[in-house]
Amino acid sequence: MVDYDDISRCDCTVIHEDVVNRVKSNMPPDERLYDLAELFKVFGDTTRVKILWALDESEMCVCDLAVLLNMTQSAVSHQLRVLKQARLVKFRKDGKNVYYSFDDDHVKSIFEQGLLHISEG
Amino acid sequence: MVDYDDISRCDCTVIHEDVVNRVKSNMPPDERLYDLAELFKVFGDTTRVKILWALDESEMCVCDLAVLLNMTQSAVSHQLRVLKQARLVKFRKDGKNVYYSFDDDHVKSIFEQGLLHISEG
DNA sequence: TAATCACATGAACAGTTATTCATATGTTCA
DNA sequence: TGAACATATGAATAACTGTTCATGTGATTA
């Protein structure tokens, strides 16, 4: 049944109530889809994609990444924080340096699927 | 060899030149990584994720989606345009209605990989 | 111990984006 | 033909985001 308390913001009439109800009952909870979007938001930035791609190739320190990407150390550091929070990279400290590396098995395959999509243009 | 013309904005010294050079030579071209980020940017919004998830379940018209998501028809329509531009959904017209449906084989598997990641928290 | 280096971080700013509102287009039907 | 409906779209606005700048922290070394 359509929950009419929930459709207050919608300015349409319900055309296919059966479809809406079926789809609604099969949808993952909002929170889950929100988390999913949050994850993809992390991938939705060229700098972060480059960093992830680089770290999949080799462990690198912040300075190396800054040189590679031709960006300030600060900008790279800010983005690494985002990647860290999303549990996509890990790091180890060695003296003054901090070495970042890849920390996820799924990301590469997500990227590969993404590349398949944009290749079919 | 490090291209010193390219590191003007970096305030670091090159620490591991060999690593930087190797990684740089293996990186896909900037344009490709940019396109990849643009694709993920599309997935980086809860509304669009919900729409894609719904359309994977069933073809739906704009009003149905608006009801399902408890959003205005206008908001949904704007997002459908984004999805259309990214070639993630297709549509067919039938009278006054426009029916949207899924148009990509990779997206679902991208989503599934994403769910794997957020499930491991 | 003082200087230097690698890195982190808060504040600020500019650019982007999602939604809303108003309105336009095109179809159906009385 | 005119009213009603489904959808699209441009403009405006509020919220968000990525980079820069200035500065702080902690480790090294002269």
Side-chain angles (χ1 to χ4, degrees), chain A residues 57-99:
Chain A
E57 196 74 34
S58 168
E59 174 187 75
M60 294 180 85
C61 68
V62 181
C63 260
D64 289 342
L65 284 168
V67 172
L68 175 70
L69 305 181
N70 187 30
M71 294 178 63
T72 64
Q73 169 270 318
S74 179
V76 171
S77 192
H78 277 297
Q79 298 299 359
L80 283 169
R81 186 165 55 84
V82 175
L83 295 172
K84 223 186 316 181
Q85 282 170 348
R87 307 189 339 275
L88 295 168
V89 302
K90 58 190 175 195
F91 64 96
R92 67 178 176 86
K93 298 188 179 181
D94 181 23
K96 286 181 295 185
N97 298 317
V98 178
Y99 292 90

Coordinates of all heavy atoms in Angstrom, one line a residue, chain A residues 57-99:
Chain A
E57 N 49.1 0.8 -7.7 CA 50.3 0.5 -8.4 C 51.5 0.3 -7.4 O 52.3 -0.6 -7.6 CB 50.7 1.6 -9.4 CG 51.7 1.2 -10.5 CD 51.1 0.3 -11.5 OE1 49.9 0.5 -11.8 OE2 51.8 -0.5 -12.0
S58 N 51.5 1.2 -6.5 CA 52.6 1.2 -5.5 C 52.3 2.0 -4.3 O 51.6 3.0 -4.4 CB 53.9 1.7 -6.2 OG 54.9 2.0 -5.3
E59 N 52.8 1.6 -3.2 CA 52.8 2.4 -2.0 C 53.6 3.7 -2.2 O 54.6 3.7 -2.9 CB 53.5 1.6 -0.9 CG 53.7 2.3 0.4 CD 54.5 1.5 1.4 OE1 55.8 1.4 1.2 OE2 54.0 1.0 2.4
M60 N 53.0 4.8 -1.8 CA 53.7 6.1 -2.0 C 53.5 7.0 -0.8 O 52.5 6.9 -0.1 CB 53.1 6.8 -3.3 CG 53.3 6.0 -4.6 SD 52.5 6.9 -6.0 CE 53.8 8.1 -6.4
C61 N 54.5 7.9 -0.6 CA 54.4 8.9 0.4 C 53.7 10.1 -0.2 O 53.5 10.3 -1.4 CB 55.7 9.2 1.0 SG 56.8 10.1 -0.1
V62 N 53.3 11.0 0.7 CA 52.5 12.2 0.3 C 53.2 13.0 -0.7 O 52.6 13.5 -1.7 CB 52.1 13.0 1.6 CG1 51.2 14.2 1.2 CG2 51.4 12.1 2.6
C63 N 54.5 13.2 -0.5 CA 55.3 14.1 -1.4 C 55.3 13.5 -2.8 O 55.2 14.2 -3.8 CB 56.7 14.2 -0.9 SG 57.0 15.8 0.0
D64 N 55.5 12.1 -2.8 CA 55.5 11.5 -4.1 C 54.2 11.7 -4.9 O 54.2 12.0 -6.1 CB 55.7 10.0 -3.9 CG 57.2 9.6 -3.5 OD1 58.0 10.5 -3.6 OD2 57.4 8.5 -3.0
L65 N 53.1 11.6 -4.2 CA 51.8 11.8 -4.8 C 51.7 13.2 -5.3 O 51.1 13.5 -6.3 CB 50.7 11.4 -3.8 CG 50.5 9.9 -3.5 CD1 49.6 9.7 -2.3 CD2 49.8 9.3 -4.8
A66 N 52.2 14.1 -4.5 CA 52.1 15.5 -4.8 C 52.8 15.8 -6.1 O 52.4 16.5 -7.0 CB 52.6 16.4 -3.7
V67 N 54.0 15.2 -6.2 CA 54.8 15.4 -7.4 C 54.1 14.7 -8.6 O 53.9 15.3 -9.7 CB 56.2 14.8 -7.3 CG1 57.0 14.8 -8.6 CG2 57.0 15.6 -6.2
L68 N 53.7 13.5 -8.4 CA 53.0 12.8 -9.5 C 51.8 13.5 -10.0 O 51.6 13.6 -11.2 CB 52.6 11.4 -8.9 CG 51.7 10.5 -9.9 CD1 52.6 10.0 -11.0 CD2 51.1 9.4 -9.2
L69 N 51.0 14.1 -9.1 CA 49.8 14.7 -9.5 C 49.9 16.2 -9.8 O 49.0 16.9 -10.2 CB 48.7 14.5 -8.5 CG 48.4 13.0 -8.1 CD1 47.3 13.0 -7.0 CD2 48.0 12.2 -9.3
N70 N 51.1 16.7 -9.6 CA 51.4 18.1 -9.8 C 50.4 19.0 -8.9 O 49.8 19.9 -9.4 CB 51.3 18.5 -11.2 CG 51.7 19.9 -11.5 OD1 52.5 20.5 -10.8 ND2 51.1 20.5 -12.5
M71 N 50.4 18.6 -7.7 CA 49.5 19.3 -6.8 C 50.3 19.7 -5.5 O 51.3 19.1 -5.2 CB 48.3 18.5 -6.4 CG 47.3 18.2 -7.6 SD 46.0 17.2 -7.1 CE 45.2 18.2 -5.9
T72 N 49.7 20.6 -4.7 CA 50.4 20.9 -3.5 C 50.2 19.8 -2.5 O 49.3 19.0 -2.6 CB 49.7 22.2 -2.8 OG1 48.4 21.8 -2.5 CG2 49.8 23.3 -3.7
Q73 N 51.2 19.7 -1.6 CA 51.2 18.6 -0.6 C 49.9 18.7 0.3 O 49.3 17.7 0.6 CB 52.4 18.8 0.3 CG 52.4 17.9 1.6 CD 51.8 18.7 2.7 OE1 52.0 19.8 2.9 NE2 50.9 18.0 3.5
S74 N 49.4 20.0 0.5 CA 48.2 20.2 1.3 C 47.0 19.6 0.6 O 46.2 18.9 1.3 CB 48.1 21.7 1.5 OG 46.9 21.9 2.3
A75 N 46.9 19.9 -0.6 CA 45.7 19.4 -1.3 C 45.7 17.9 -1.3 O 44.6 17.2 -1.1 CB 45.7 19.9 -2.8
V76 N 46.8 17.2 -1.6 CA 46.9 15.8 -1.5 C 46.5 15.3 -0.2 O 45.8 14.3 0.0 CB 48.3 15.3 -2.0 CG1 48.4 13.8 -1.8 CG2 48.5 15.7 -3.4
S77 N 47.1 15.9 0.9 CA 46.8 15.5 2.2 C 45.4 15.5 2.6 O 44.8 14.6 3.2 CB 47.6 16.3 3.2 OG 47.7 15.8 4.5
H78 N 44.7 16.6 2.2 CA 43.3 16.7 2.4 C 42.5 15.5 1.8 O 41.6 15.0 2.4 CB 42.7 18.0 1.9 CG 42.9 19.2 2.8 ND1 42.3 19.2 4.0 CD2 43.6 20.3 2.7 CE1 42.7 20.4 4.6 NE2 43.5 21.0 3.8
Q79 N 42.9 15.2 0.6 CA 42.2 14.1 -0.1 C 42.5 12.8 0.5 O 41.6 11.9 0.5 CB 42.5 14.2 -1.6 CG 42.1 15.4 -2.4 CD 40.6 15.6 -2.3 OE1 39.8 14.8 -1.7 NE2 40.1 16.7 -2.9
L80 N 43.7 12.6 0.9 CA 44.1 11.4 1.6 C 43.2 11.1 2.8 O 42.9 10.0 3.2 CB 45.5 11.3 1.9 CG 46.5 11.1 0.7 CD1 47.9 11.3 1.1 CD2 46.3 9.6 0.2
R81 N 42.9 12.2 3.5 CA 42.1 12.1 4.7 C 40.7 11.6 4.3 O 40.1 10.7 5.0 CB 41.9 13.5 5.4 CG 41.2 13.5 6.7 CD 41.4 14.7 7.5 NE 41.0 15.9 6.7 CZ 39.8 16.4 6.6 NH1 38.8 15.8 7.2 NH2 39.5 17.5 5.9
V82 N 40.1 12.1 3.2 CA 38.8 11.6 2.7 C 38.9 10.1 2.4 O 38.0 9.3 2.8 CB 38.4 12.4 1.5 CG1 37.1 11.8 0.9 CG2 38.2 13.9 1.8
L83 N 40.0 9.7 1.7 CA 40.1 8.3 1.4 C 40.3 7.4 2.6 O 39.9 6.3 2.7 CB 41.3 8.1 0.4 CG 41.2 8.8 -0.9 CD1 42.5 8.8 -1.7 CD2 40.0 8.2 -1.7
K84 N 41.0 8.0 3.6 CA 41.2 7.3 4.8 C 39.9 7.1 5.6 O 39.6 6.0 6.0 CB 42.2 8.1 5.7 CG 43.2 7.3 6.4 CD 44.1 8.2 7.4 CE 44.5 9.6 6.9 NZ 45.2 10.3 7.9
Q85 N 39.1 8.1 5.6 CA 37.8 8.0 6.3 C 36.9 7.0 5.6 O 36.1 6.4 6.3 CB 37.1 9.4 6.3 CG 37.7 10.3 7.4 CD 37.2 11.7 7.2 OE1 36.6 12.1 6.3 NE2 37.4 12.6 8.3
A86 N 37.0 6.9 4.3 CA 36.2 5.9 3.6 C 36.8 4.5 3.6 O 36.3 3.6 3.0 CB 36.0 6.4 2.1
R87 N 37.9 4.4 4.4 CA 38.6 3.1 4.5 C 39.0 2.5 3.2 O 38.9 1.3 2.9 CB 37.7 2.1 5.2 CG 37.1 2.6 6.6 CD 36.4 1.5 7.4 NE 36.0 0.4 6.6 CZ 34.8 0.3 5.9 NH1 34.0 1.4 5.9 NH2 34.5 -0.7 5.3
L88 N 39.5 3.4 2.3 CA 40.0 3.0 1.0 C 41.5 2.9 0.9 O 42.1 2.2 0.1 CB 39.5 3.9 -0.1 CG 38.0 3.9 -0.2 CD1 37.5 5.0 -1.1 CD2 37.5 2.6 -0.8
V89 N 42.2 3.6 1.8 CA 43.6 3.6 1.9 C 44.1 3.3 3.3 O 43.3 3.7 4.3 CB 44.3 4.9 1.4 CG1 43.8 5.1 -0.1 CG2 43.9 6.0 2.3
K90 N 45.2 2.8 3.5 CA 45.8 2.7 4.8 C 47.2 3.3 4.8 O 47.7 3.7 3.7 CB 46.0 1.2 5.2 CG 46.8 0.4 4.3 CD 46.7 -1.1 4.6 CE 47.5 -1.9 3.5 NZ 47.1 -3.3 3.5
F91 N 47.8 3.5 5.9 CA 49.1 4.1 5.9 C 50.0 3.6 7.0 O 49.6 3.0 8.0 CB 48.9 5.7 6.1 CG 48.4 6.0 7.5 CD1 49.2 6.4 8.5 CD2 47.0 5.9 7.7 CE1 48.7 6.7 9.8 CE2 46.5 6.2 9.0 CZ 47.3 6.6 10.0
R92 N 51.3 3.8 6.8 CA 52.3 3.5 7.8 C 53.3 4.6 7.9 O 53.6 5.3 6.9 CB 53.0 2.2 7.5 CG 53.9 2.2 6.3 CD 54.7 0.9 6.0 NE 55.4 1.0 4.8 CZ 56.7 1.5 4.7 NH1 57.3 1.9 5.8 NH2 57.3 1.6 3.5
K93 N 53.8 4.9 9.1 CA 54.7 6.0 9.3 C 56.1 5.4 9.3 O 56.4 4.4 9.9 CB 54.4 6.7 10.6 CG 53.0 7.4 10.5 CD 52.7 8.3 11.7 CE 51.3 8.9 11.6 NZ 51.0 9.8 12.8
D94 N 57.0 6.2 8.7 CA 58.4 5.8 8.8 C 59.3 7.1 8.8 O 59.5 7.7 7.8 CB 58.8 5.0 7.5 CG 60.3 4.6 7.5 OD1 60.8 4.5 8.6 OD2 60.8 4.3 6.4
G95 N 59.7 7.4 10.0 CA 60.4 8.7 10.2 C 59.5 9.8 9.9 O 58.3 9.9 10.4
K96 N 60.0 10.7 9.1 CA 59.2 11.9 8.7 C 58.1 11.6 7.7 O 57.1 12.3 7.5 CB 60.1 13.0 8.1 CG 60.9 13.7 9.2 CD 61.7 14.8 8.5 CE 62.8 14.2 7.6 NZ 63.7 15.2 7.0
N97 N 58.3 10.5 7.0 CA 57.4 10.1 5.9 C 56.2 9.3 6.4 O 56.2 8.6 7.4 CB 58.1 9.4 4.8 CG 59.2 10.2 4.2 OD1 59.0 11.4 4.0 ND2 60.4 9.6 4.0
V98 N 55.1 9.5 5.6 CA 53.9 8.6 5.8 C 53.6 8.0 4.5 O 53.4 8.6 3.5 CB 52.7 9.5 6.3 CG1 51.5 8.6 6.4 CG2 53.0 10.2 7.6
Y99 N 53.6 6.7 4.5 CA 53.4 5.9 3.3 C 52.0 5.4 3.2 O 51.5 4.7 4.1 CB 54.4 4.7 3.2 CG 55.8 5.2 3.0 CD1 56.6 5.5 4.1 CD2 56.3 5.4 1.7 CE1 57.9 5.9 3.9 CE2 57.6 5.9 1.5 CZ 58.4 6.1 2.6 OH 59.7 6.6 2.4

